[in-house]
Amino acid sequence: MTENHVTVYEVGPRDGLQNEAGIVPTKQKIALIDLLSETGLRYIEATSFVSPKWVPQMADAAEVMAGIARKSGVTYAALTPNMKGLEAALETGADEVAIFGSASESFSQKNINCTIAESLERFAPVAKAALAAGVSLRGYVSCVIACPYEGTIAPEPVRDITQALLDLGCGQVSLGDTIGKGTSESAANLLDVLVGTIKADLLAGHFHDTDGTALANVETALSYGLRCFDSAIGGLGGCPYAPGAKGNLSTISLVEMLQAEGWETGLDMDKLHVAEAYLQTNIAGVADAL
Ligand code: HMG
Ligand code: MG
């Protein structure tokens, strides 16, 4: 990996499809992931092992993991909020699992039905078991800038839960601007506090693009030394428990910007267009959102 490399972490099959109103057929999810596997991506978040009562769109997580054609060199990741999710993910051979918390108490309650402190207690055995099983562990912090229920969130609670997730053994923590309210200024305020005590290479940016500011936030984060960004093919995405959350940063827009600035991504733009075109023509409901 050169100094000039930026990692693009594809979250479309999870963050994107979890938010679709209609259930996307499993075989279409698999076909999308298989196309993404051909693009040079090294990380694809394929699904999440969450309660199907909470997120029906992800109820086929095991079938998706079993059906994809694993490409060597690609890490296939899944969200695992608790031991039940972790055990199911491990059975399917997930390469990486993610625990996901929040800097906002209200969002924590709405999204995973517990307080922030309870979530960390719940994550501890998940983290331990994941690491013991030899899979890598990622963390997410939601609402790093703003919460759909509480408004602006201060950087300090974000720093505290980020550090707590790192202490549990996460190799990286992804900072979620869940409702896409970040600006260059608020992203800088956040990173001034975080990067003071946490190494930038332990952090990733996960910027939803509600107000079209995600690319500017990536620029700001690059200037603080972050070198990994989450994005979703077609700009899909949102969270069922975050009203107003629009799509994630579009993978193609992110890669276009990075390549224009001379960053290496290792990604094949033509193949990304093939994957995006598959979404547009095949995945019912998604086409309207693009
Ligand atoms: P709960 O209701 O408190 O859990 O939900 P529970 O332990 O009482 O279980 C309730 C039922 O769910 C039981 O079934 C469990 O077996 C089942 P029943 O006995 O009633 O038939 N269950 C499960 N089933 C399958 N897999 C599991 C699982 N766990 C329990 N893992 C829970 C707590 C965490 C499970 C629930 O709140 C949940 O699943 N939440 C997930 C919500 C979610 O997926 N949100 C979207 C992802 S986060 C996001 O998008 C933000 C991010 O992109 C970053 C950003 O943008 O900010 C990452
Ligand atoms: Mg998200």
Side-chain angles (χ1 to χ4, degrees):
M1 206 72 65
T2 65
E3 250 179 41
N4 217 24
H5 185 86
V6 172
T7 299
V8 174
Y9 197 111
E10 172 63 44
V11 297
R14 192 280 305 170
D15 194 312
L17 300 183
Q18 75 179 9
N19 209 39
E20 283 308 299
I23 302 292
V24 176
T26 306
K27 63 176 196 299
Q28 293 184 353
K29 296 178 179 176
I30 291 169
L32 176 64
I33 295 168
D34 287 348
L35 287 173
L36 290 167
S37 295
E38 296 303 317
T39 62
L41 282 162
R42 292 180 55 243
Y43 294 89
I44 300 177
E45 196 168 69
T47 187
S48 54
F49 290 87
V50 296
S51 166
K53 288 185 183 144
W54 284 65
V55 185
Q57 292 86 340
M58 295 284 113
D60 60 356
E63 290 80 4
V64 169
M65 290 300 285
I68 56 178
R70 301 279 182 107
K71 187 161 173 108
S72 155
V74 180
T75 293
Y76 295 93
L79 299 192
T80 55
N82 53 19
M83 282 306 290
K84 188 173 173 122
L86 178 74
E87 280 156 14
L90 291 179
E91 267 174 40
T92 67
D95 302 304
E96 174 161 290
V97 296
I99 47 182
F100 50 103
S102 170
S104 147
E105 284 293 353
S106 310
F107 186 76
S108 183
Q109 284 292 350
K110 297 273 190 192
N111 195 44
I112 51 173
N113 205 23
C114 61
T115 65
I116 295 171
E118 285 163 349
S119 74
L120 290 170
E121 276 170 35
R122 192 186 280 171
F123 295 151
V126 178
K128 199 171 164 197
L131 296 173
V135 300
S136 50
L137 180 68
R138 195 176 203 228
Y140 278 100
V141 177
S142 283
C143 303
V144 300
I145 304 247
C147 165
Y149 309 102
E150 293 181 16
T152 304
I153 298 292
E156 289 74 16
V158 181
R159 177 197 56 206
D160 294 349
I161 183 166
T162 300
Q163 187 59 56
L165 291 171
L166 291 169
D167 291 345
L168 287 178
C170 290
Q172 182 181 64
V173 174
S174 179
L175 303 171
D177 181 13
T178 315
I179 53 170
K181 289 291 160 202
T183 60
S184 299
E185 194 185 10
S186 55
N189 287 342
L190 172 70
L191 293 171
D192 274 339
V193 172
L194 264 68
V195 175
T197 56
I198 298 170
K199 284 193 183 135
D201 61 5
L202 297 175
L203 300 172
H206 178 108
F207 300 114
H208 284 262
D209 204 18
T210 313
D211 295 335
T213 55
L215 284 177
N217 298 337
V218 170
E219 286 288 14
T220 302
L222 282 166
S223 75
Y224 279 81
L226 275 71
R227 294 290 181 268
C228 178
F229 297 97
D230 301 354
S231 63
I233 192 73
L236 291 177
C239 171
Y241 296 99
K246 290 273 172 52
N248 225 291
L249 173 54
S250 146
T251 300
I252 287 180
S253 304
L254 173 63
V255 175
E256 276 172 355
M257 184 189 90
L258 291 170
Q259 290 185 349
E261 292 178 352
W263 296 99
E264 282 172 22
T265 62
L267 292 172
D268 181 325
M269 193 55 91
D270 290 341
K271 290 184 175 166
L272 286 173
H273 278 290
V274 171
E276 190 170 285
Y278 177 82
L279 267 184
Q280 280 165 332
T281 50
N282 292 283
I283 299 194
V286 170
D288 304 338
L290 293 178

